[in-house]
Amino acid sequence: MSPVEQYLQHLTRRHFFAKGAMGLGTAALASMTGIAPTADAKSIGGLPSIPHFAPKAKRAIYLFMAGAPSPPDLFDYKPKMVDKLRVDLRGEKYEDGSPVLRTRVTTMTSGQSSFPIAPTRYEFKQRGQSGAWVSELLPHTAKMVDDIAIIRSMWTEAINHDPAITYISTGNQLPGYPSLGAWLSYGLGSENADLPSFVVMTPRWSAKRDAQALYNRLWGTGFLASKHQGVSLRSAGDPVLFLSNPPGVDASDRRRVLDSIAEFNQDHYEKYADPETSARIAQYEMAYRMQTSVPDLVDISDEPQHILDMYGPDVHKPGTFAASCLLARRMAERGVRFTQIFHRGWDQHGDIPRDLPLQCKDVDQASWALVQDLKNRGMLDDTLVIWGGEFGRTIYCQGALTDKTYGRDHHPGCFSIWMAGGGVKGGAVHGTTDDYGCNIVDASGAPTDKFEDGAVHIRDLNATILHQLGINHEKLSIKFRGLDQRLTGVEKAHIVTPILA
């Protein structure tokens, strides 16, 4: 967008008061009179050129397993590893003599004297009509393999958590870039004037260990206007910080304060033309309307018992993954464009037999319930659901391999995710990895990182998510530091068409 076009989109003083009387003021009055917020048929905000084409999905829900779930124990079955128990992977080679271990290793295992192969302890079975292999740790996910598409050939260059999760979330390993949700808010706008277009939840986890930190830049706006920031929904106290009025302040008092602040902010904007001033005006108004819309959102007392039962007993406990999934469905119903749930605790460098089952129990039933709930309501067709982490885990053991336990290090060379709804082909399984679970391979069994051979880079995943929402990833850009910045960066990104209906 040119600077002139960008300037013309900002509010003049006259336009501000017109909108206040006929737009925001009307919404505020509705919240004061108790009228329930509704999702408008048209988007609010967004770019006039978007969607670029008819979208398959109107909204997306991203279930992010922060820390990297282990593909060899969940989705990428490697039966031949049983015969190679305790074989040192460092010395293993393909038939052509090339080494199996082609990717770099972290400093946590680089000093090991050997890299003993650790077969999974968990039973795999082929499930559904598609025959996809799924671990016994995910019995509910196994029931819906014909509703989801599994990609087993994801890869990334990042090998440590912070750059890796920043990379998949923002398209860059360095901080300071807009997140996926911020790009969607910027491009598509909102379907509901009374709720944010982008909401984030960070539920607790069950593995008894410290987890990798999450930074709010993962749902930040970078160089986009701050109004596109993801709003973090809390599990205790006010769902959103400072949502409640202070003691002695009622709705009418708050309305008068906001009107006065808006007037000052508009004067400031006319003097300095800072776009963030306009964003600040919009954020104050959104906060006011959220005083009614958010309490209604988080009150699940109107949910039928059979729905609550479907999500499992944890749904009654605020701050759990199950409770977050139910809220994600309620947000989808109300027109929230993008909901992201970051579930931590998947960084299993040791004692996978203790920690991985706990993590899977946290998310398995609720993930299944979310997809089925959307499907039963006729919403899955236009709601895209994504499940996955920032990279994979090694087939070799970190530390000592014993008969009772094993751990796995970071592995960017290949990992698994799944997607459902929003134009995704249920039952599809895309991509192949070698017998060692170390490398993506082509039809001949040779290692590859080429898209045409089935490899899917994280920018391909982001391009596909945007595509399903009606966005050409090459055309969603903004000038910053002299460059046309995009979520998918400057390198070629592809749409993963084999998993699309």
Side-chain angles (χ1 to χ4, degrees):
M1 184 188 303
S2 72
V4 175
E5 290 174 325
Q6 198 165 18
Y7 173 79
L8 291 175
Q9 283 198 358
H10 297 316
L11 299 174
T12 65
R13 184 182 179 87
R14 181 173 298 170
H15 289 151
F16 169 74
F17 283 113
K19 281 180 173 285
M22 302 180 65
L24 297 177
T26 302
L29 178 62
S31 69
M32 290 171 65
T33 55
I35 298 173
T38 56
D40 192 84
K42 293 185 177 180
S43 292
I44 302 159
L47 300 178
S49 60
I50 293 179
H52 297 125
F53 42 82
K56 296 293 185 182
K58 294 180 179 178
R59 64 198 75 86
I61 300 171
Y62 203 141
L63 310 177
F64 200 98
M65 308 297 114
S70 171
D73 297 291
L74 298 177
F75 293 108
D76 201 6
Y77 184 40
K78 298 301 169 193
K80 293 183 180 180
M81 292 301 94
V82 175
D83 299 330
K84 292 183 176 291
L85 178 66
R86 301 182 190 280
V87 167
D88 184 356
L89 189 61
R90 196 195 301 267
E92 287 293 286
K93 298 182 182 296
Y94 289 105
E95 291 182 3
D96 64 2
S98 60
V100 170
L101 193 60
R102 296 160 59 91
T103 59
R104 59 197 174 105
V105 298
T106 75
T107 55
M108 290 175 283
T109 52
S110 60
Q112 289 187 183
S113 59
S114 65
F115 289 178
I117 290 175
T120 183
R121 296 168 61 96
Y122 302 105
E123 181 182 1
F124 276 71
K125 288 183 179 179
Q126 288 183 286
R127 316 285 182 158
Q129 294 183 352
S130 66
W133 291 93
V134 181
S135 165
E136 63 177 313
L137 290 177
L138 299 171
H140 287 86
T141 303
K143 293 190 297 185
M144 65 170 180
V145 290
D146 293 330
D147 292 327
I148 67 177
I150 300 173
I151 302 178
R152 297 181 303 192
S153 52
M154 294 293 307
W155 71 281
T156 179
E157 294 93 347
I159 197 170
N160 289 313
H161 292 288
D162 186 46
I165 198 169
T166 303
Y167 195 12
I168 196 170
S169 296
T170 70
N172 201 294
Q173 295 188 48
L174 299 176
Y177 290 80
S179 60
L180 168 60
W183 277 113
L184 291 175
S185 174
Y186 168 70
L188 292 172
S190 174
E191 289 188 303
N192 189 331
D194 297 341
L195 285 170
S197 56
F198 176 20
V199 177
V200 172
M201 290 174 280
T202 54
R204 58 180 177 266
W205 65 98
S206 293
K208 306 301 182 183
R209 64 187 323 138
D210 294 334
Q212 293 293 326
L214 294 177
Y215 301 96
N216 59 12
R217 67 168 180 266
L218 300 178
W219 49 91
T221 57
F223 40 76
L224 297 178
S226 58
K227 66 181 179 180
H228 302 300
Q229 169 90 16
V231 173
S232 182
L233 207 62
R234 307 191 316 151
S235 59
D238 279 349
V240 179
L241 281 172
F242 312 119
L243 190 66
S244 299
N245 288 323
V249 176
D250 61 21
S252 61
D253 292 331
R254 182 148 178 159
R255 180 70 264 166
R256 287 194 299 272
V257 169
L258 290 179
D259 289 342
S260 298
I261 292 174
E263 192 170 348
F264 289 134
N265 280 332
Q266 189 63 28
D267 286 340
H268 186 273
Y269 175 74
E270 290 179 356
K271 288 180 181 178
Y272 302 105
D274 181 0
E276 280 301 297
T277 307
S278 297
R280 193 180 304 126
I281 294 170
Q283 287 168 326
Y284 276 127
E285 290 291 344
M286 172 61 76
Y288 181 80
R289 296 193 302 277
M290 284 168 58
Q291 287 188 299
T292 296
S293 61
V294 170
D296 172 74
L297 168 70
V298 300
D299 180 8
I300 64 171
S301 61
D302 60 345
E303 292 287 344
Q305 188 60 44
H306 73 278
I307 296 295
L308 299 174
D309 291 342
M310 186 164 63
Y311 284 86
D314 281 351
V315 77
H316 300 283
K317 304 173 185 175
T320 61
F321 186 83
S324 299
C325 282
L326 178 57
L327 290 180
R329 190 226 76 209
R330 291 172 67 87
M331 282 186 267
E333 285 181 308
R334 288 159 172 78
V336 172
R337 182 72 68 186
F338 186 63
T339 304
Q340 193 158 19
I341 303 174
F342 288 92
H343 185 256
R344 299 161 68 194
W346 293 86
D347 189 23
Q348 282 117 28
H349 289 273
D351 211 350
I352 281 180
R354 179 192 67 185
D355 290 335
L356 187 58
L358 292 171
Q359 293 296 108
C360 290
K361 188 175 180 181
D362 279 350
V363 306
D364 179 44
Q365 181 172 351
S367 300
W368 164 81
L370 173 62
V371 172
Q372 302 313 307
D373 200 0
L374 292 168
K375 184 178 180 181
N376 294 339
R377 293 167 189 271
M379 295 176 60
L380 187 60
D381 289 344
D382 59 7
T383 304
L384 182 64
V385 182
I386 310 104
W387 187 103
E390 65 265 39
F391 45 57
R393 306 208 77 87
T394 57
I395 192 70
Y396 65 80
C397 182
Q398 177 173 341
L401 174 63
T402 73
D403 294 334
K404 294 184 178 180
T405 191
Y406 57 96
R408 302 193 189 279
D409 198 3
H410 309 164
H411 185 60
C414 53
F415 63 103
S416 302
I417 66 138
W418 61 257
M419 303 172 72
V424 169
K425 185 192 301 182
V429 178
H430 180 74
T432 305
T433 60
D434 60 27
D435 291 340
Y436 300 87
C438 274
N439 305 289
I440 301 164
V441 294
D442 61 19
S444 70
T448 182
D449 61 5
K450 296 179 180 179
F451 179 80
E452 53 267 30
D453 293 331
V456 180
H457 191 270
I458 57 171
R459 59 178 163 264
D460 301 324
L461 173 65
N462 282 332
T464 303
I465 293 170
L466 294 180
H467 180 271
Q468 295 310 97
L469 289 155
I471 298 173
N472 181 336
H473 70 95
E474 294 181 338
K475 295 181 179 180
L476 178 62
S477 66
I478 188 170
K479 281 197 177 296
F480 180 69
R481 293 177 179 169
L483 297 174
D484 290 325
Q485 303 282 356
R486 304 196 303 243
L487 171 67
T488 50
V490 297
E491 296 186 53
K492 181 67 176 177
H494 310 80
I495 310 303
V496 191
T497 53
I499 68 164
L500 303 182

